[in-house]
Amino acid sequence: MSSCDTCVVRNRAICAGLDNQEIAALNTMGRRRAVSAGEPLIWEDDDSLLVANVIEGVLKLTTSTEDGREQIVGVAYPSDFIGRPFGQTSKASVVALTDARVCVFARNDFDRFAREHPELEHKLLERTLAELDRTRSWMMLLGRKTAPEKIATFLLEMSERLNETGCAVKLGPARRFSLPFSRQQVADVLGLTIETVSRQFTKLKNDGVIELPSRREVEILDRPALVSLAG
Amino acid sequence: MSSCDTCVVRNRAICAGLDNQEIAALNTMGRRRAVSAGEPLIWEDDDSLLVANVIEGVLKLTTSTEDGREQIVGVAYPSDFIGRPFGQTSKASVVALTDARVCVFARNDFDRFAREHPELEHKLLERTLAELDRTRSWMMLLGRKTAPEKIATFLLEMSERLNETGCAVKLGPARRFSLPFSRQQVADVLGLTIETVSRQFTKLKNDGVIELPSRREVEILDRPALVSLAG
DNA sequence: CGATGTGTTGATTGACTTCAATCTGGGTGG
DNA sequence: CCACCCAGATTGAAGTCAATCAACACATCG
């Protein structure tokens, strides 16, 4: 009985496209693990001992300065791959934002397996290239955009990313969604302070661009306005 | 007569480790191209038609907003790989900062060749993962560091990167080097304005941390101070 | 030697942060 | 059941860092 058989991200994760024998081999190497909200999975600057596929939930990748400033450098959704294969240390911490389930592998085992299975490495390469693209466009946001632009861009990105997590069918961007981030975490994504995030949110609400049914809920009332604000 | 035979980055670029037959095949696909300082090689949002290895010189990867703000999202040195394989469009422009020589491939050809040569894809994966690490640590700088910290971090990174370009032997960081960037370009790397960059440079000079023999030259007088300022 | 592009320096402004007070809502124990 | 608690969020006032605006310096090149 293979747990891969029942895996909901089986067709979207890097495992997609592997044959039954390969899946079976991967299955013996990996194991499921639950990570509850707030719990860390990987520590910055630690030896890179494990890698994983996200099955369910959302996790943040962060780097910190010695004096405690934090920057969220990536967000992992279901079917995303996390950890640092082929490297000695992990340059970012990984912490669950929501309760999550992941499929973890010892990095050594995974590295060896990947090198023997070019199709898997290719999937990983495609994913890494896409992540690099996304990360670079986020650099533009961090370096050159104003607070209002950052918030607008963030909300648009959220409304897209949080909808992909469903099924294979490509849905449009969500009109209403539940943020997996606290205000502080939004600030850590955008390179702002919690107060600035709060102020910008209420401004958008007062301007009739969004509605905020609860702390974590966002409803986009005027998407074109948001797009125009995103710069 | 293969031009790869005489290639100075042959043992550091992704071509390293390929056998003679593979090198010969790559050689028929690629061609050398000179790019003079300021000349673009790839345009943002254009179809991704070519990829390349940097043989000599330094190039910048940039993204821009509609209203002309620019952010440098990466810098490519000799032996680095540029362009977007396995993707329809390039998300960043590539422009030469200095006179440069590159070895370009039609993306189609390269993609096909790479898929048939797992060792090459593996090299590319390792490179892409390393670049992602570097990019993420730059996000921390952009989002959370102050102007003095940005400048100090930048100078330290320059003193390291500009020395790796030599030979395979691992040299220590350079004490003195020539920036491949104008003040405006330094600003575009750090998410600052040209005036702020200039002021921070002169402040470091007045504090005896660095010397500025000419506009492009930098000499590090007090590295520990710089490390401590980098935050 | 002027012309032009690049860099520096100064004065002022403004956006975001910081500091501080208050609010809110979900959970708990009396 | 509801008063209380408390972390998270909002709002306000004041401060600061970097941007902007503006003038000038310097080098390179016809």
Side-chain angles (χ1 to χ4, degrees):
Chain A
M1 172 65 117
S2 155
S3 60
C4 293
D5 290 345
T6 61
C7 183
V8 291
V9 297
R10 169 85 168 71
N11 295 313
R12 290 182 295 141
I14 52 170
C15 325
L18 299 180
D19 64 32
N20 288 336
Q21 194 188 337
E22 290 168 323
I23 286 286
L26 252 191
N27 205 35
T28 62
M29 282 167 41
R31 69 172 214 286
R32 300 265 180 124
R33 171 136 147 49
V35 196
S36 41
E39 191 183 341
L41 184 65
I42 296 173
W43 272 271
E44 184 176 356
D45 295 327
D46 264 21
D47 285 344
S48 171
L49 295 177
L50 61 86
V51 297
N53 275 314
V54 180
I55 299 168
E56 191 186 335
V58 184
L59 301 93
K60 64 172 180 176
L61 317 191
T62 61
T63 58
S64 304
T65 53
E66 291 167 23
D67 60 341
R69 283 171 286 177
E70 180 169 313
Q71 176 68 47
I72 294 182
V73 297
V75 183
Y77 298 90
S79 88
D80 282 352
F81 181 86
I82 52 184
R84 176 61 159 94
F86 309 117
Q88 279 310 302
T89 58
S90 173
K91 299 294 233 42
S93 302
V94 179
V95 178
L97 290 176
T98 65
D99 289 343
R101 283 186 306 127
V102 298
C103 175
V104 297
F105 305 92
R107 205 208 83 218
N108 287 340
D109 297 344
F110 180 86
D111 284 3
R112 199 176 325 108
F113 186 85
R115 296 226 53 165
E116 288 162 2
H117 296 87
E119 186 56 30
L120 181 68
E121 274 210 329
H122 179 75
K123 285 261 162 39
L124 194 52
L125 176 57
E126 291 233 22
R127 235 161 226 290
T128 309
L129 286 165
E131 182 63 21
L132 187 56
D133 279 350
R134 207 195 317 276
T135 303
R136 282 173 172 163
S137 83
W138 216 249
M139 289 178 82
M140 153 56 78
L141 172 140
L142 288 172
R144 290 298 187 205
K145 289 195 175 179
T146 64
E149 289 172 334
K150 285 178 176 181
I151 295 285
T153 307
F154 171 79
L155 290 174
L156 290 171
E157 159 120 356
M158 281 300 103
S159 99
E160 277 159 27
R161 293 294 294 270
L162 292 173
N163 239 25
E164 290 174 6
T165 63
C167 50
V169 185
K170 191 81 177 178
L171 296 125
R175 179 185 152 81
R176 180 179 172 150
F177 50 89
S178 180
L179 289 176
F181 302 104
S182 68
R183 291 289 184 271
Q184 180 60 61
Q185 285 157 353
V186 176
D188 290 339
V189 172
L190 300 177
L192 296 171
T193 58
I194 184 174
E195 295 94 330
T196 302
V197 171
S198 181
R199 276 185 252 270
Q200 295 299 329
F201 270 45
T202 43
K203 175 146 203 320
L204 287 176
K205 190 178 75 174
N206 292 339
D207 292 352
V209 179
I210 61 171
E211 193 49 67
L212 299 169
S214 77
R215 287 182 168 182
R216 297 284 185 127
E217 295 285 318
V218 179
E219 183 176 359
I220 298 178
L221 301 178
D222 188 350
R223 179 172 293 271
L226 218 44
V227 170
S228 137
L229 283 170
Chain B
M1 172 63 118
S2 154
S3 61
C4 294
D5 290 345
T6 60
C7 181
V8 292
V9 297
R10 169 84 169 73
N11 295 313
R12 290 183 295 139
I14 51 171
C15 325
L18 297 180
D19 65 33
N20 287 337
Q21 194 188 338
E22 291 168 323
I23 286 287
L26 251 190
N27 205 36
T28 61
M29 282 167 39
R31 69 173 215 285
R32 300 266 180 124
R33 172 136 146 50
V35 195
S36 42
E39 190 183 340
L41 184 64
I42 296 173
W43 272 271
E44 186 177 355
D45 295 326
D46 264 22
D47 285 345
S48 171
L49 295 176
L50 59 86
V51 298
N53 275 313
V54 180
I55 298 168
E56 191 186 335
V58 183
L59 302 93
K60 64 172 180 175
L61 318 191
T62 62
T63 57
S64 304
T65 53
E66 291 167 22
D67 60 341
R69 284 171 287 176
E70 181 169 314
Q71 176 68 47
I72 294 182
V73 296
V75 184
Y77 298 90
S79 87
D80 283 350
F81 181 85
I82 51 184
R84 177 58 159 97
F86 309 117
Q88 278 312 301
T89 58
S90 173
K91 299 294 233 45
S93 301
V94 179
V95 179
L97 290 175
T98 64
D99 288 344
R101 284 186 305 128
V102 296
C103 176
V104 297
F105 304 92
R107 206 208 84 220
N108 288 339
D109 296 346
F110 181 86
D111 284 2
R112 198 175 327 108
F113 186 85
R115 295 227 53 167
E116 288 162 3
H117 296 86
E119 186 56 31
L120 181 68
E121 274 212 328
H122 178 76
K123 284 261 161 41
L124 195 51
L125 177 57
E126 292 233 22
R127 238 162 224 287
T128 309
L129 286 165
E131 182 62 20
L132 187 55
D133 279 349
R134 209 195 316 276
T135 303
R136 283 175 170 161
S137 82
W138 216 249
M139 288 179 84
M140 155 56 79
L141 173 140
L142 289 173
R144 291 299 186 203
K145 290 194 176 181
T146 63
E149 289 172 334
K150 285 178 175 181
I151 295 286
T153 307
F154 171 80
L155 290 174
L156 289 171
E157 158 121 355
M158 279 301 103
S159 100
E160 276 158 27
R161 294 292 296 268
L162 292 172
N163 239 25
E164 290 173 5
T165 63
C167 48
V169 184
K170 191 82 179 180
L171 297 125
R175 178 185 152 81
R176 180 177 173 152
F177 50 90
S178 181
L179 289 176
F181 303 103
S182 69
R183 290 288 184 272
Q184 180 60 62
Q185 285 156 354
V186 175
D188 289 340
V189 172
L190 299 177
L192 296 170
T193 58
I194 183 173
E195 295 96 327
T196 301
V197 171
S198 180
R199 275 185 253 270
Q200 295 298 330
F201 270 45
T202 43
K203 175 146 202 318
L204 287 176
K205 190 178 75 175
N206 292 339
D207 293 352
V209 179
I210 61 171
E211 193 49 68
L212 298 168
S214 76
R215 288 185 166 182
R216 296 284 186 127
E217 295 284 319
V218 179
E219 184 176 358
I220 297 177
L221 302 178
D222 187 350
R223 178 172 293 270
L226 218 45
V227 171
S228 135
L229 283 170

